[in-house]
Amino acid sequence: MPLLDVKDLSVTFARRGQRTVRAVDGVSFSVEAGEVVGLVGESGCGKSVTSLALMGLLPKQRGVTVGGSAMFGDTDLLKTDERTMRDIRGRDVAMIFQDPLSSLNPVVPIGVQVTEVLARHRGLTGAKATAEAADLLNRVGIPDPTRRLKEYPHQLSGGMRQRALIAMAVACAPKLLIADEPTTALDVTIQAQILELLRDLVRDSGTALVMITHDLGVVAGMCDTVNVLYAGRVVESARRKPLFAEPRHPYTTGLLGSVPRLDSGKGAAARDPRFGAGRPAVAGRVRVRPALRPPCRRLCR
Amino acid sequence: MTETLVEVDDLKVHFPIKRGVFLDRVVGHVKAVDGVDLRINKGETYGLVGESGCGKSTLGRALLQLTPPTGGRVNFDGTELTTLPPKQLRSMRRRMQMIFQDPMSSLDPRQNVESILTEGLQAHGLGGSRAERRKIISKSLDAVGLPQWALSRYPHEFSGGQRQRIGIARAVVLNPDLIVADEPVSALDVSIQAQVINLLEELQEELGLTYLVIAHDLAVVRHISDTVGVMYLGALVEEAPSDDLYRQPLHPYTRALMSAVPVPDPEVEDRRERILLAGDLPSPANPPSGCRFHTRCPWAQPTKCRDERPGLRIIGTGTHKVACHWAEQIESGEIRPHAVKAEVVADGAGAKEAHGALHNAIESPGGPVI
Ligand SMILES: Nc1ncnc2c1ncn2[C@@H]1O[C@H](COP(=O)(O)OP(=O)(O)OP(=O)(O)O)[C@@H](O)[C@H]1O
Ligand SMILES: Nc1ncnc2c1ncn2[C@@H]1O[C@H](COP(=O)(O)OP(=O)(O)OP(=O)(O)O)[C@@H](O)[C@H]1O
Ligand code: SF4
Ligand code: SF4
Ligand SMILES: [Mg+2]
Ligand SMILES: [Mg+2]
């Protein structure tokens, strides 16, 4: 049995006077224990909405409809009550976001924020909690952790903030970590540090990871399986190597062909047999077509 | 025969760091650009890469005299720009255009496309009659692949990629010689990026344009550039023809930067060497002594690196330049990399944060600046 089994997840946003947006439209994927699963796609394809739905973090208001199921053990994450969900969040399933500043409390020192998590889910308090917090910061590669614990989020660099957030996320050794564009806001050398850290964490602790990104390179370097999203649907799902070696869906092929690669110079895509002649730029713009259900959305571009 | 269009010599831009209640005390300088030499050949593309805050945009703006340089010279097609009187500089500007990262913020939302494109022509007294202007405008729309009906539309009616085309049309309508493109595709989705990159390449061929392309994305830069310069903390650390640089990066920073870029190919990802840098980028207000990379360099040596600033020097055939004392020994394997302890950047902020903090500082006089 997979650790997480998402079946036919759909999310629609309805607002009065506006057309209904079907942001996620029948997405299914599963995550085995210790596995790294990628969700990759362009802006607006529904990656963040998918992760928020799984975490029970979508706005609880009329007009937001979530369908399908997401079985985590015996619990359906989409249907469980808010109290159970609060226990699961942080303890069993944790999430990190693109912008660490928005998920840290700006007026509370880092140390207090980390020890709060430890108190809540692991019952640690006082000196014990502080020692554990320092140890966690150390594990995620924050230099001089005891001093950093006393500092506020704005005093840390972007990379260090993301590390602090990862420290909080892994504080309770969750079974599943969902990372939504965790490195998009960072410089590439800092991104490399964070990706390495995530790789180590997954390897050492057996935590499963759902890696959400628009960067096919990130996916190629760390995911076991990859789901390609387009306009709220999974258009292709494959193991990492087959996906890149023989993409089956025209959208995946187009996406791969349009990425300028560091290891290929001017005009190299044109010479790649996978993409035929010329660089096949995907035409038009990815957009969510409101409540539209043709057999295939590429047709309507 | 290659002809030089732009020649930059020891260019410097130092921004004062002000403190005090009235921000009237200068307590130091952000050395955003600190001694850059480069030349751009006619009809070629020079790509400038480096991480956030290293001074790429400032260099681009100083080159166009949009930010006054603190020192150094910029020669454009035989004319020295740094000493040019304002009036002559203004007429020179037609020949040097700029394209920005976020087309939305650089386009006036209340102007339709026609008026956006006409504005520049009028400012430079070009195009003559109204009918002639229309012809020029419609030609540049064609050139960037926008339909004629776009003329009466407003920026918000277009997608990000189309807006960038409008930004490009606004530049090419003036028939410039040089275009400085500052992160022209970094706000766009990958599939749209490819279209805009292709467009820039096509226009270059058709119109014989010369580009300075600024980007933090090495893959984009490699794709479009003939020559690439790598910047770190306000200075070039390496410069070479695009293919040479990527085939054989010589500077330790370039190596680390290139090893950090994810490649969308699992086979490549699995066997590539990763050079992870320790810690954050130091602040350009307080750059390290000697080689500015020595605090993070895995090859740093006890002699020279800390106290002697290496300049760009030619290695090998004459087109590959690198600013490292030990480039040859590193290349031959004589010097091996070692572990580096991450240093805590003073004030808890790297270059990128200092970057953001600056803007806050203006609103909170007396507060901690950088
Ligand atoms: N609260 C909301 N109300 C209405 N529409 C929403 C809401 N949140 C998201 N959407 C829409 O759902 C679609 C999917 O958005 P989502 O944020 O999941 O995209 P994404 O794949 O994460 O994109 P990005 O790469 O830009 O982060 C978008 O069209 C978005 O406008
Ligand atoms: N007008 C200004 N006044 C003071 N400091 C400035 C000013 N403009 C830029 N700086 C500083 O100069 C340094 C270089 O900035 P610049 O914008 O050139 O970097 P960049 O390489 O373009 O970065 P990015 O990739 O983020 O665009 C930064 O530390 C920045 O904070
Ligand atoms: S339009 Fe047809 S060929 Fe193209 S992706 Fe859709 S189903 Fe496949
Ligand atoms: S000069 Fe020294 S510190 Fe600088 S890059 Fe070369 S080896 Fe590293
Ligand atoms: Mg998102
Ligand atoms: Mg910039």
Side-chain angles (χ1 to χ4, degrees):
Chain A
M1 202 179 79
L3 178 69
L4 173 71
D5 198 9
V6 181
K7 283 224 169 75
D8 210 25
L9 172 70
S10 69
V11 180
T12 52
F13 298 100
R15 277 228 194 91
R16 222 183 306 173
Q18 281 172 12
R19 281 200 288 179
T20 300
V21 175
R22 189 175 280 271
V24 179
D25 191 7
V27 163
S28 303
F29 66 94
S30 63
V31 184
E32 301 291 334
E35 196 189 16
V36 182
V37 173
L39 296 185
V40 64
E42 294 181 277
S43 186
C45 70
K47 305 182 295 292
S48 296
V49 172
T50 299
S51 59
L52 293 174
L54 296 177
M55 295 296 285
L57 294 173
L58 283 173
K60 306 249 174 324
Q61 40 179 254
R62 283 223 336 257
V64 182
T65 321
V66 180
S69 67
M71 298 307 293
F72 183 76
D74 297 328
T75 319
D76 185 345
L77 297 178
L78 305 181
K79 304 209 173 63
T80 188
D81 60 289
E82 180 56 30
R83 251 195 65 200
T84 320
M85 202 60 217
R86 229 176 291 153
D87 281 342
I88 291 177
R89 265 200 309 263
R91 191 191 59 201
D92 298 320
V93 186
M95 182 156 175
I96 50 180
F97 300 87
Q98 170 173 344
D99 175 15
L101 208 51
S102 68
S103 20
L104 290 166
N105 187 335
V107 294
V108 177
I110 297 288
V112 177
Q113 301 194 47
V114 180
T115 48
E116 262 169 15
V117 180
L118 293 170
R120 184 180 159 76
H121 293 294
R122 283 171 58 187
L124 290 180
T125 49
K128 260 207 180 120
T130 312
E132 176 70 16
D135 191 47
L136 276 166
L137 293 198
N138 193 32
R139 260 184 69 198
V140 298
I142 296 183
D144 200 0
T146 341
R147 190 184 123 198
R148 297 283 144 178
L149 283 176
K150 299 188 198 92
E151 295 189 339
Y152 293 87
H154 75 265
Q155 289 174 289
L156 302 183
S157 68
M160 289 300 158
R161 263 180 228 141
Q162 197 56 286
R163 284 173 194 268
L165 209 66
I166 293 173
M168 286 163 68
V170 300
C172 306
K175 296 192 190 75
L176 176 65
L177 180 62
I178 301 178
D180 187 356
E181 306 263 11
T183 57
T184 305
L186 303 173
D187 270 324
V188 52
T189 59
I190 309 295
Q191 158 167 291
Q193 296 170 354
I194 300 290
L195 293 180
E196 186 74 5
L197 172 63
L198 287 173
R199 266 188 219 107
D200 286 350
L201 283 174
V202 170
R203 201 186 41 230
D204 299 346
S205 64
T207 298
L209 174 65
V210 174
M211 185 74 188
I212 296 177
T213 175
H214 66 276
D215 189 334
L216 286 160
V218 168
V219 167
M222 67 187 299
C223 296
D224 301 309
T225 39
V226 183
N227 300 282
V228 180
L229 263 68
Y230 177 76
R233 294 183 182 185
V234 177
V235 293
E236 182 159 6
S237 174
R239 301 290 291 176
R240 176 176 72 128
K241 288 190 178 174
L243 182 90
F244 286 90
E246 324 157 45
R248 296 293 171 91
H249 195 281
Y251 176 68
T252 315
T253 317
L255 202 58
L256 278 170
S258 64
V259 184
R261 282 173 57 156
L262 183 61
D263 59 347
S264 64
K266 267 188 168 175
R271 281 180 259 116
D272 193 321
R274 278 178 302 178
F275 309 123
R279 195 159 0 134
V282 176
R285 187 166 69 115
V286 180
R287 249 178 307 173
V288 171
R289 299 270 178 176
L292 195 78
R293 286 179 145 264
C296 172
R297 284 176 186 207
R298 267 180 71 81
L299 274 174
C300 30
R301 282 200 174 190
Chain B
M1 174 64 208
T2 49
E3 237 182 297
T4 305
L5 181 68
V6 182
E7 192 164 355
V8 172
D9 201 8
D10 199 26
L11 194 67
K12 291 187 176 137
V13 182
H14 295 178
F15 294 111
I17 306 168
K18 294 181 179 160
R19 266 196 205 170
V21 184
F22 302 103
L23 291 179
D24 49 359
R25 233 160 10 100
V26 174
V27 295
H29 285 90
V30 176
K31 296 175 178 160
V33 176
D34 201 22
V36 168
D37 300 316
L38 61 86
R39 46 172 72 218
I40 310 175
N41 292 328
K42 268 193 186 142
E44 292 192 354
T45 302
Y46 190 104
L48 197 60
V49 291
E51 294 178 283
S52 188
C54 71
K56 304 180 295 295
S57 298
T58 307
L59 175 57
R61 294 178 56 82
L63 191 149
L64 298 180
Q65 308 298 307
L66 295 169
T67 298
T70 313
R73 282 169 302 283
V74 179
N75 191 294
F76 177 80
D77 207 12
T79 309
E80 178 54 44
L81 298 182
T82 49
T83 50
L84 206 62
K87 214 176 133 213
Q88 275 147 287
L89 185 60
R90 223 172 299 132
S91 65
M92 200 59 128
R93 284 210 192 288
R94 180 196 62 79
R95 304 180 55 192
M96 315 178 287
Q97 290 299 307
M98 191 149 179
I99 300 171
F100 300 90
Q101 166 173 358
D102 179 6
M104 200 54 197
S105 66
S106 64
L107 299 173
D108 183 344
R110 290 158 306 178
Q111 273 183 310
N112 67 18
V113 173
E114 178 167 13
S115 109
I116 287 171
L117 298 183
T118 315
E119 200 176 47
L121 287 176
Q122 280 174 334
H124 290 284
L126 296 173
S129 72
R130 180 136 188 242
E132 254 171 84
R133 273 207 298 274
R134 275 212 103 121
K135 225 167 78 200
I136 299 177
I137 288 174
S138 93
K139 237 176 72 194
S140 64
L141 270 192
D142 279 346
V144 302
L146 284 175
Q148 294 300 323
W149 51 257
L151 283 175
S152 58
R153 305 291 173 96
Y154 292 83
H156 73 263
E157 297 178 70
F158 295 92
S159 68
Q162 288 169 324
R163 267 181 229 140
Q164 195 54 288
R165 287 173 195 266
I166 300 172
I168 295 170
R170 181 175 58 176
V172 298
V173 77
L174 297 174
N175 189 23
D177 300 287
L178 173 73
I179 291 185
V180 174
D182 192 355
E183 304 275 5
V185 299
S186 56
L188 307 174
D189 265 331
V190 281
S191 59
I192 315 296
Q193 285 190 358
Q195 299 171 3
V196 173
I197 292 171
N198 291 349
L199 172 63
L200 288 172
E201 284 180 349
E202 286 160 25
L203 288 174
Q204 177 163 48
E205 253 169 57
E206 266 168 54
L207 309 173
L209 292 166
T210 304
Y211 291 140
L212 174 63
V213 174
I214 297 173
H216 67 276
D217 186 332
L218 276 82
V220 165
V221 164
R222 157 153 214 197
H223 222 92
I224 195 169
S225 307
D226 298 293
T227 304
V228 175
V230 181
M231 256 182 116
Y232 185 77
L233 283 178
L236 285 175
V237 294
E238 187 161 3
E239 184 192 273
S242 177
D243 283 344
D244 289 356
L245 185 82
Y246 289 92
R247 194 162 10 89
Q248 194 185 30
L250 292 175
H251 195 281
Y253 176 66
T254 316
R255 289 179 172 221
L257 196 60
M258 287 188 19
S259 86
V261 179
V263 172
D265 184 339
E267 308 292 342
V268 175
E269 279 291 311
D270 287 356
R271 62 188 147 73
R272 67 203 294 230
E273 162 202 34
R274 284 180 214 281
I275 305 164
L276 285 180
L277 294 181
D280 299 323
L281 205 63
S283 163
N286 185 20
S289 63
C291 173
R292 297 193 161 181
F293 189 53
H294 87 252
T295 53
R296 299 166 86 203
C297 179
W299 284 270
Q301 296 301 300
T303 53
K304 277 183 149 181
C305 293
R306 275 164 189 281
D307 36 52
E308 222 177 284
R309 189 169 170 196
L312 270 187
R313 61 194 172 89
I314 294 170
I315 290 205
T317 55
T319 44
H320 202 138
K321 298 179 192 166
V322 61
C324 168
H325 296 305
W326 305 101
E328 290 89 346
Q329 289 87 339
I330 292 169
E331 178 57 20
S332 70
E334 206 177 302
I335 296 180
R336 312 288 309 160
H338 48 74
V340 179
K341 198 170 163 290
E343 273 190 31
V344 178
V345 174
D347 285 312
K352 198 166 180 176
E353 278 61 42
H355 215 21
L358 253 157
H359 303 281
N360 302 338
I362 295 165
E363 285 153 18
S364 56
V369 180
I370 300 194

